[in-house]
């Protein structure tokens, strides 16, 4: 029955809304209550009792959630104390309103206090689940800084591949690195070590242990030296439990200090080598398989496909795309295509090597819009209909080893949008340096020379 | 009464006779007590009703080798891991240290020895300069010695890790560490993890095949391809490259395939009974292994036969048909990967070059070992490349540790041959193929090649990267055992981004 406690705990998010609503309503009644006819006094105690009851349930469930769900005391302590205070004040008000004959000013003040308590508790509770910056996040940046909200680590430094030489060393590279790694603790509003790293003035001024920049001497400069101390060292920055800067970022800071820690120089005029820069170039990572909104295949249909002899598997757990192979289905023929036709939109990797297929299969597979890898090694393919594969626009790798394809057929695929490479090992195709094709041809037939050293007996 | 009825009657009588008072009492204790306990133990657990013995068995438990999708789209779908058992010397192959030449024959600086323990070196040994001639090769300018003339032509396909470190300096533990992520017994090997995570692609072949050469199996024994705490169905299947690939796989004369089938069916149904009684998952593993063995009978002889390969391929690899050789194993590795095996593990024994004998020396024995692997390894990379398999196959090469820049002085004596002691602070490994950068080098060692200065890579980092390329996040890929989730990388491991394409 151990599960009952955590289960009850999990109702906390449900319960908490009841006291918020009911107690808010109760307080509202207190303030709207007039004399005689408009007096809500008879119902006010009930409202407070009801609110207090659900506040109590919330308190208990909240405590159970804290005990069972791994929240630390530090994160929830104020929320918990305020929550139980709400329970206490609500009960107190219930008792007070039962005794009273009149809505007094003191009671109004106490009700107002309960309202504040309620809002604060609710807000803190929301912060625990949604994060401290839940509300501030959506504010415009100008308003954020006006309100003095700590801007949590900005984006990591990125540099363009072209004309990076003209970017200012300090403003364009060093300050962004500091913004990303340091200023959450070293900004005007949170001056850890009395150090402000949000501006060049702050950098030049240094912190409580003095200057942090000694021009041309990174080892003496705290800004660099502390970064490369062993993580366990007390002086190491950022503190070892925080995210550490990348090696390349540290190197760039070092180079900046070496170049004189100037605020004016550009990356080019400081003669920063490209090797220090290239790590920051924007990487456009295009996924190998095309992005798709195709629906996933139900596990039952997949099992049915496997029973027919195919190897069939999703590219990855979250991907609707399939890798299908006839590795255990050597008798696969062109007519067997109808077994796969309902998976047309999902097939991204298709291996028909060593099967009985002929050129006719190319017609069928060319309609696969997500097909990325196609293997038809070791099959009776002459290549007459290969040109149709231009329709399979996402095709990147085409395997036609040990087939009868010819270069003329392959040339028709020239200009295919995504095709990277065609493997034509053990075919009649031979490459001619004059043929400029939009894709690579791998003809293989590698040989290793016989070397004198191969036969020496050592 | 015919014969059959008589037999049945006898069986029943015998059964009754065997049921003594002790049996009855014992059954009362275990079974009646068990009946009372059952709802307490399993009553509340979801899924308990699904099978009679009260165990939570998933479809995976019942069919442990069925394919599974990886969590992320993988860069590689197979791995060929070439392990040079005994630990090759990085200082004669890849890690060029001209400074060592100057110090050749001079006593090793005390600073390198302080507080250090070596497997055999005692006192103050002498520095041993590189015993090879180095040159830069390819567009990447990778340093490779004249010990590997063929390999030096394909360095642009490879990413070198030059500052790998391990904390083990004896072969057994170091091999275990390299292959299972722990120097102690009991952890699953990389191949077992991968097979556990992905199943097998070709249902007639195991997902994890092991091939050995060099005359001996690794010092750490078969645990380096063991399944540890994973079900034993995920352990590596060792195939021999000489004689029958798998012993007793061929049917003897007079045994037809149908008869074999009915034998296996009978054994398996009896095992299933036993599983129902005891619920030991290892029984399931046994059932699966019988089935796999039966299916392997079709495919294995074909895949493991290198004689059918054309002459140019045989020549490329330098195979020695009918013998146990690393070249044969390299060719087999390609064939297996082509046939959908996930993980092919090659061990080549004989790289332990202490200088105590000619075979175990840096100047002679190591040259011989290099000669044995140079052509096959190069051929493997080229052959994978020409078939387009290198796009989706990860090739890993390395030993279990490296060797000292000092000449070994076992028992305080100078050895008859030039040799180096075990050393784990810095050594070279390389990777190539699916998801690996071409022509990269990562890691810098000091002037003596003693320790890594920058870009050091731990064994866990290598494991993390291998799993990454296969589509796993090494921190999420766990197996619950003894009350806690276990990982291949334990609590460490960072991806080696610099060599990932």
């Amino acid at each position: 029955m151990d599960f009952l406690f955590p289960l009850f705990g999990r109702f906390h998010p449900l319960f908490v809304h009841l006291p918020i609503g009911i107690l808010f309503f109760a307080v509202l009644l207190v303030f709207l209550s007039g004399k005689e006819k408009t007096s809500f006094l008879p119902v006010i105690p009930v409202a407070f009792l009801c609110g207090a009851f659900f506040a109590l349930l919330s308190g208990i469930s909240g405590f159970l959630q804290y005990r069972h769900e791994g929240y630390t005391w530090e994160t929830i302590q104020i929320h918990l104390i305020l929550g139980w205070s709400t329970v206490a004040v609500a009960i107190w008000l219930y008792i007070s309103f039962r005794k009273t004959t009149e809505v007094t000013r003191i009671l109004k003040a106490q009700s107002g206090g309960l309202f504040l308590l309620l809002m604060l508790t609710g807000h803190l509770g929301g912060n625990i689940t949604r994060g401290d910056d839940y509300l501030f996040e959506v504010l415009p940046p100008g308003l954020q800084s006006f309100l003095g909200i700590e801007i949590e680590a900005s984006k990591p430094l990125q540099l363009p591949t072209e004309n990076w030489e003209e970017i200012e060393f300090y403003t364009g590279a060093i300050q962004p690195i500091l913004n990303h790694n340091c200023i959450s603790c070293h900004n005007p509003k949170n001056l850890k070590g009395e150090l402000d790293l949000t501006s060049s003035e702050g950098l030049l001024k240094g912190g409580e242990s003095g200057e942090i920049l000694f021009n041309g001497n990174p080892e003496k400069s705290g800004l660099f030296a502390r970064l490369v101390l062993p993580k366990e060292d007390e002086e190491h920055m950022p503190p070892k439990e925080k995210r550490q800067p990348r090696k390349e970022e540290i190197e760039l800071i070092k180079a900046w200090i070496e170049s004189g820690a100037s605020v004016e120089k550009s990356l080019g005029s400081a003669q920063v080598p490209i090797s220090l820069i290239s790590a920051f170039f924007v990487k456009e990572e295009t996924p190998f398989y095309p992005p798709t909104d195709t629906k996933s295949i139900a596990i039952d249909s997949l099992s049915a496909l496997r029973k027919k002899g195919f190897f069939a598997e999703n590219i990855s757990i979250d991907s609707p795309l399939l890798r299908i192979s006839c590795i255990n289905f050597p008798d696969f023929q062109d007519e067997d295509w109808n077994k796969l036709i309902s998976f047309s939109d999902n097939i991204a990797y298709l291996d028909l090597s060593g099967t009985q297929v002929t050129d006719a299969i190319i017609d069928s597979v060319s309609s696969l819009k997500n097909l990325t890898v196609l293997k038809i090694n070791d099959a009776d393919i002459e290549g007459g209909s290969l040109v149709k594969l231009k329709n399979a626009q996402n095709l990147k790798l085409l395997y036609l080893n040990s087939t009868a394809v010819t270069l003329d057929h392959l040339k028709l695929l020239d200009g295919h949008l995504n095709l990277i490479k065609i493997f034509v090992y053990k075919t009649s195709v031979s490459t001619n340096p004059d043929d400029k094709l939009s894709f690579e041809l791998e003809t293989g037939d590698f040989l290793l020379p016989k070397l004198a050293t191969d036969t020496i007996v050592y | 009464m015919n014969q059959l009825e008589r037999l049945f009657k006898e069986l029943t009588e015998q059964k009754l006779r065997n049921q003594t008072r002790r049996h009855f009492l014992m059954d009362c204790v275990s079974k009646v007590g068990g009946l009372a306990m059952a709802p307490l133990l399993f009553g509340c657990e979801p899924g308990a009703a699904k099978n009679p013995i009260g165990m939570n068995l998933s479809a995976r438990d019942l069919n442990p080798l069925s394919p599974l999708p990886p969590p992320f789209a993988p860069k590689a779908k197979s791995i060929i891991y070439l392990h040079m058992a005994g630990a090759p010397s990085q200082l004669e192959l890849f890690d060029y240290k001209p400074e060592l030449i100057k110090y050749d024959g001079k006593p090793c600086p005390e600073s390198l020895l302080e507080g250090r323990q070596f497997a055999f070196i005692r006192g103050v040994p002498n520095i041993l300069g590189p015993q090879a001639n180095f040159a830069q090769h390819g567009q990447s300018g990778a340093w490779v010695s004249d010990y590997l003339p063929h390999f030096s032509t394909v360095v642009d396909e490879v990413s070198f890790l030059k500052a790998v470190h391990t904390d083990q300096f004896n072969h057994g533990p170091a091999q275990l560490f390299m292959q299972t992520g722990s120097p102690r017994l009991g952890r699953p090997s990389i191949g077992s993890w991968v097979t556990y995570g992905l199943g097998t692609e070709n249902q007639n072949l195991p997902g994890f095949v092991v091939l050995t050469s060099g005359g001996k199996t690794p010092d750490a024994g078969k645990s380096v391809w063991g399944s540890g705490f994973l079900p034993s169905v995920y352990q590596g299947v060792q195939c021999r490259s000489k004689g029958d690939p798998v012993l007793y796989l061929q049917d003897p004369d007079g045994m037809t395939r149908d008869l074999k089938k009915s034998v296996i069916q009978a054994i398996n149904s009896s095992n299933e009974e036993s599983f129902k009684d005891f619920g030991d998952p290892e029984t399931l593993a046994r059932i699966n292994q019988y089935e796999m063995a039966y299916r392997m009978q079709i495919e294995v002889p074909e895949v493991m036969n290198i004689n059918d390969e054309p002459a140019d391929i045989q020549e490329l690899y330098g195979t020695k048909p009918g013998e146990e050789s690393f070249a044969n194993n390299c060719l087999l590795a390609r064939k297996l990967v082509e046939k959908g095996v996930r993980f092919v593990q090659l061990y080549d024994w004989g790289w332990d070059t202490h200088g105590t004998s000619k075979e175990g020396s840096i100047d002679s024995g190591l040259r011989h070992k290099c000669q044995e692997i140079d052509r096959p390894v190069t051929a493997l990379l080229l052959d994978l490349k020409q078939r387009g398999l290198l796009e989706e196959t990860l090739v890993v090469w390395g030993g279990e540790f490296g060797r000292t820049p000092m000449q070994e002085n076992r028992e305080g004596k100078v050895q008859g041959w030039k040799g180096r002691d075990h050393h784990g602070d810095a050594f070279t490994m390389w990777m190539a193929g699916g998801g690996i950068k071409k022509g990269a080098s990562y890691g810098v060692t000091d002037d003596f090649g003693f320790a890594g200065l920058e870009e050091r890579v731990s064994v866990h980092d290598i494991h993390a990267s291998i799993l990454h390329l296969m589509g796993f996040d090494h921190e999420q890929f766990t197996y619950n055992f003894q009350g806690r989730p276990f990982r291949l990388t334990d609590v460490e491991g960072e991806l080696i981004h610099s060599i990932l394409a």
Side-chain angles (χ1 to χ4, degrees):
Chain A
M1 305 301 264
D2 284 348
F3 68 92
L4 280 182
F5 289 129
L7 180 68
F8 189 68
R10 291 214 167 181
F11 277 89
H12 183 66
L14 172 73
F15 288 142
V16 290
H17 296 95
L18 295 166
I20 293 176
I22 297 168
L23 289 175
F24 174 73
F25 186 62
V27 174
L28 197 69
L29 288 181
V30 171
F31 280 92
L32 293 177
S33 210
K35 294 264 163 64
E36 309 282 318
K37 257 190 182 173
T38 55
S39 171
F40 298 126
L41 207 54
V43 293
I44 287 173
V46 185
F48 274 114
L49 180 65
C50 220
F53 173 72
F54 283 113
L56 188 68
L57 278 189
S58 306
I60 294 167
S61 59
F63 180 73
L64 289 173
Q65 204 171 26
Y66 152 62
R67 290 307 298 268
H68 290 281
E69 309 263 335
Y71 291 102
T72 61
W73 173 242
E74 284 71 33
T75 35
I76 58 102
Q77 58 174 343
I78 303 177
H79 176 63
L80 187 140
I81 292 167
L82 291 181
W84 282 99
S85 310
T86 312
V87 177
V89 175
I91 294 171
W92 165 256
L93 282 172
Y94 161 67
I95 296 165
S96 310
F97 275 102
R98 268 193 62 168
K99 284 188 198 150
T100 191
T101 50
E102 191 190 355
V103 181
T104 62
R105 221 175 250 180
I106 294 170
L107 282 172
K108 272 189 179 173
Q110 285 173 350
S111 302
L114 179 68
F115 176 74
L116 288 179
L117 210 51
L118 203 59
M119 291 300 118
L120 203 56
T121 315
H123 174 68
L124 290 172
N127 277 1
I128 292 171
T129 52
R130 304 282 174 168
D132 288 341
D133 49 358
Y134 184 61
L135 293 177
F136 301 126
E137 228 173 27
V138 290
L139 298 180
L143 194 58
Q144 281 185 350
S145 60
F146 176 75
L147 290 171
I149 296 153
E150 196 175 285
I151 303 161
E152 186 56 37
S154 60
K155 279 198 173 161
L157 172 65
Q158 286 196 331
L159 296 171
T161 33
E162 273 162 36
N163 298 332
W164 56 266
E165 292 91 344
E166 286 154 30
I167 290 171
E168 283 184 42
F169 204 160
Y170 171 71
T171 21
I174 299 302
Q175 191 60 57
I177 292 177
L178 299 179
N179 291 351
H180 182 51
N181 294 292
C182 316
I183 63 156
S184 62
C185 297
H186 298 294
N187 61 55
K189 297 196 168 85
N190 185 0
L191 274 177
K192 293 256 168 71
E194 289 167 36
L195 181 63
D196 172 18
L197 293 178
T198 57
S199 66
S200 57
E201 292 80 28
L203 260 139
L204 290 171
K205 196 167 145 250
E208 65 183 8
S209 42
E211 288 188 48
I212 57 162
L213 279 179
F214 289 88
N215 286 355
N217 191 341
E219 276 73 24
K220 262 180 97 182
S221 307
L223 183 68
F224 168 75
R226 280 169 181 259
L227 300 178
V228 291
L229 281 173
K231 254 190 228 171
E232 288 70 31
D233 197 296
E234 258 181 47
E235 307 267 277
H236 176 84
M237 277 293 147
K240 68 167 183 267
E241 63 277 7
K242 294 271 171 74
R243 180 177 47 74
Q244 297 296 310
R246 287 167 66 191
K247 200 184 71 202
E248 291 85 358
E249 292 176 320
I250 299 177
E251 284 298 309
L252 206 58
I253 290 177
K254 185 182 179 190
W256 180 61
I257 300 173
E258 274 171 349
S259 75
S262 149
V263 188
E264 274 99 44
K265 276 188 193 166
S266 69
L267 285 169
S269 65
Q271 291 176 341
V272 183
I274 189 162
S275 56
L276 286 180
I277 300 295
S278 56
F280 301 101
F281 288 155
V282 186
K283 263 196 208 133
E284 277 178 40
E285 264 206 30
T286 41
F288 185 70
Y289 295 100
T292 176
D293 45 13
T294 307
K295 276 194 185 143
S296 281
I297 298 290
I299 190 83
D300 292 343
S301 332
L302 215 53
S303 321
L305 196 59
R306 286 181 191 145
K307 285 216 177 79
K308 286 177 191 156
F310 296 97
F311 167 87
E313 196 49 85
N314 292 73
I315 296 294
S316 66
I317 286 174
D318 304 324
S319 171
L321 299 179
L322 292 178
R323 181 155 77 89
I324 289 188
S325 154
C326 290
I327 195 153
N328 294 126
F329 195 169
D331 297 332
F332 183 90
Q333 296 173 1
D334 296 341
E335 297 80 60
D336 290 316
W337 178 252
N338 57 31
K339 293 177 177 151
L340 292 173
I341 207 144
S342 55
F343 303 92
S344 294
D345 287 354
N346 299 77
I347 297 175
Y349 183 120
L350 182 63
D351 188 351
L352 301 171
S353 299
T355 59
Q356 312 299 317
V357 294
T358 65
D359 282 276
I361 198 75
I362 293 177
D363 278 337
S364 318
V365 297
S366 62
S367 65
L368 302 178
K369 61 174 185 181
N370 287 317
L371 186 68
T372 316
V373 179
L374 175 62
K375 292 188 172 188
I376 329 182
N377 299 325
D378 201 10
D380 193 10
I381 300 284
E382 283 166 9
S385 48
L386 272 178
V387 64
K388 297 211 171 112
L389 284 176
K390 275 203 169 180
N391 296 329
Q393 291 196 353
N394 279 307
L395 187 65
K396 286 185 175 167
L397 298 175
L398 176 59
Y399 291 69
L400 295 166
N401 299 330
S402 307
T403 57
V405 291
T406 61
L407 187 57
D408 290 335
H409 290 132
L410 297 176
K411 273 183 184 167
L412 297 175
L413 279 172
D414 188 35
H416 190 292
L417 281 178
N418 284 305
L419 193 59
I420 301 169
K421 214 170 187 179
I422 304 183
F423 296 92
V424 279
Y425 173 56
K426 296 268 176 202
T427 61
S428 62
V429 180
S430 58
T431 42
N432 178 352
D434 296 337
D435 295 328
K436 286 266 181 251
L437 295 172
S438 62
F439 44 82
E440 275 180 74
L441 277 179
E442 178 62 83
T443 53
D445 273 330
F446 297 117
L447 290 172
L448 286 174
K450 282 203 165 73
L451 299 177
T453 46
D454 288 353
T455 45
I456 295 178
V457 180
Y458 292 107
Chain B
M1 205 189 320
N2 68 26
Q3 185 78 358
L4 197 66
E5 275 176 57
R6 202 177 52 80
L7 268 173
F8 266 110
K9 191 159 172 272
E10 196 181 313
L11 179 72
T12 327
E13 276 171 12
Q14 196 63 39
K15 265 190 179 167
L16 289 171
R17 205 167 296 146
N18 283 343
Q19 198 72 14
T20 64
R21 184 172 51 98
R22 283 182 184 208
H23 280 108
F24 175 72
L25 288 175
M26 217 168 77
D27 281 358
C28 282
V29 174
S30 62
K31 292 194 177 150
V32 179
L35 271 177
M37 279 288 283
L40 293 178
L41 286 174
F42 306 111
C44 293
E45 279 190 29
K50 279 184 204 150
N51 64 72
I53 49 165
M55 289 179 69
N56 279 319
L57 288 173
S58 62
R60 185 76 180 149
D61 291 326
L62 295 167
N63 199 359
L65 289 171
S66 61
L68 282 182
F72 308 103
K75 296 269 167 56
K77 83 187 175 70
S78 321
I79 301 178
I80 298 176
Y81 193 125
L82 312 169
H83 189 123
M84 306 297 111
S89 165
Q90 76 282 9
L91 297 166
E92 266 67 39
L93 302 182
F94 305 112
D95 205 11
Y96 179 46
K97 292 294 155 194
E99 279 292 294
L100 272 189
I101 304 170
K102 278 194 241 164
Y103 288 88
D104 185 32
K106 296 188 179 128
C108 174
E110 290 278 354
S111 60
L112 292 185
L113 304 170
E114 261 168 42
R116 294 302 306 249
Q117 201 185 359
F118 297 93
F120 294 101
I121 283 178
R122 299 288 179 266
V124 180
N126 290 335
I127 294 291
L128 179 64
Q131 301 299 305
N133 298 314
F134 279 84
Q136 282 182 293
H137 296 276
Q139 291 192 332
S140 57
W143 287 98
V144 181
S145 83
D146 58 352
Y147 279 38
L148 297 170
H150 291 295
F151 178 75
S152 55
T153 61
V154 292
V155 287
D156 287 341
E157 297 291 331
V158 169
S159 268
F160 289 95
L161 298 169
K162 292 209 157 169
V164 186
H165 62 94
T166 173
D167 52 15
Q168 297 299 316
F169 61 79
N170 278 317
H171 297 294
Q175 285 163 357
L176 276 175
F177 187 33
M178 195 52 92
Q179 295 301 331
T180 72
S182 164
R184 284 162 290 279
L185 293 167
R187 298 290 198 85
S189 51
I190 315 168
S192 298
W193 277 107
V194 169
T195 325
Y196 163 66
L198 299 173
T200 177
E201 184 173 333
N202 187 329
Q203 53 169 336
N204 298 336
L205 289 175
F208 178 16
V209 174
V210 181
L211 301 164
T212 63
S213 57
K216 286 188 188 173
T217 49
D219 310 62
K222 297 185 176 181
S223 301
V224 281
W225 61 82
S227 54
F229 44 70
L230 293 175
S232 54
V233 67
Y234 300 116
Q235 69 189 311
V237 174
Q238 189 186 359
C239 291
R240 311 187 313 159
S241 52
K242 185 183 170 185
D244 279 349
V246 181
L247 284 174
Y248 314 119
L249 197 65
Q250 296 311 67
D251 293 328
D253 290 340
M255 172 72 101
T256 63
R257 194 151 167 80
D258 284 341
L259 186 57
K260 181 83 159 213
K261 190 175 181 177
S262 51
V263 167
I264 284 177
Q265 275 171 348
I267 296 173
N268 278 357
S269 62
S270 134
N271 277 337
E272 271 160 29
E273 288 300 313
S274 151
F275 176 71
K276 277 178 198 154
D277 284 349
F278 301 104
D280 184 351
E282 281 303 295
T283 316
L284 282 180
R286 174 57 67 94
I287 292 171
N288 271 288
Q289 276 153 350
Y290 268 113
E291 285 173 356
M292 175 59 82
Y294 176 72
R295 293 196 302 265
M296 273 165 69
Q297 282 192 313
I298 311 171
E299 195 105 14
V300 164
E302 186 196 319
V303 181
M304 297 295 290
N305 180 10
I306 57 170
N307 295 330
D308 293 346
E309 287 286 313
D312 57 331
I313 290 291
Q314 303 268 8
E315 199 186 313
L316 185 69
Y317 283 88
T319 51
K320 295 169 184 163
E323 287 179 44
E324 180 202 75
S325 87
F326 182 75
N328 294 5
N329 288 352
C330 280
L331 178 51
L332 285 172
R334 185 223 85 208
K335 287 180 61 123
L336 288 165
V337 162
E338 204 169 32
K339 281 288 177 186
V341 173
R342 295 272 188 209
F343 202 105
V344 186
Q345 175 82 52
L346 265 64
Y347 288 100
D348 187 54
W349 193 87
W351 292 84
D352 197 16
T353 43
H354 287 280
T356 49
S357 66
K358 189 181 175 201
E359 292 74 37
S361 67
I362 288 290
D363 37 354
S364 176
L366 183 64
R367 272 191 186 276
H368 177 71
K369 284 310 288 182
C370 285
Q371 196 183 45
E372 279 184 353
I373 68 146
D374 184 28
R375 179 178 270 271
V377 166
T378 314
L380 177 64
L381 290 176
L382 291 175
D383 198 16
L384 291 173
K385 188 183 171 185
Q386 70 189 355
R387 287 163 203 270
L389 290 169
L390 201 55
E391 312 278 330
E392 48 186 30
T393 306
L394 172 68
V395 184
V396 185
W397 181 96
E400 59 267 28
F401 39 65
R403 307 207 78 93
T404 54
M406 297 84 86
Q407 180 161 12
E408 183 165 323
N409 63 349
R410 193 176 291 220
E411 293 157 1
K413 292 177 211 155
V414 177
Q415 302 298 311
W417 302 86
K418 283 179 177 158
R420 301 183 186 276
D421 201 357
H422 306 168
H423 188 55
D425 285 26
F427 59 104
T428 305
M429 289 179 71
W430 58 255
M431 297 198 203
I436 295 285
K437 263 187 203 167
K438 289 172 188 284
S441 177
Y442 188 70
V444 181
T445 54
D446 60 32
D447 285 343
F448 281 58
F450 187 87
L453 289 179
E454 281 171 41
E455 303 173 344
R456 298 175 79 222
V457 162
S458 76
V459 173
H460 297 299
D461 298 341
I462 290 171
H463 292 163
S465 306
I466 290 177
L467 288 182
H468 168 80
L469 293 169
M470 295 299 281
F472 295 98
D473 175 350
H474 70 104
E475 292 184 351
Q476 304 297 322
F477 187 27
T478 59
Y479 186 82
N480 283 334
F481 176 64
Q482 290 185 336
R484 78 156 169 106
F486 276 83
R487 284 166 29 190
L488 172 60
T489 50
D490 198 9
V491 295
E492 292 173 61
E494 280 179 38
L495 292 185
I496 316 167
H497 286 288
S498 303
I499 64 158
L500 300 177

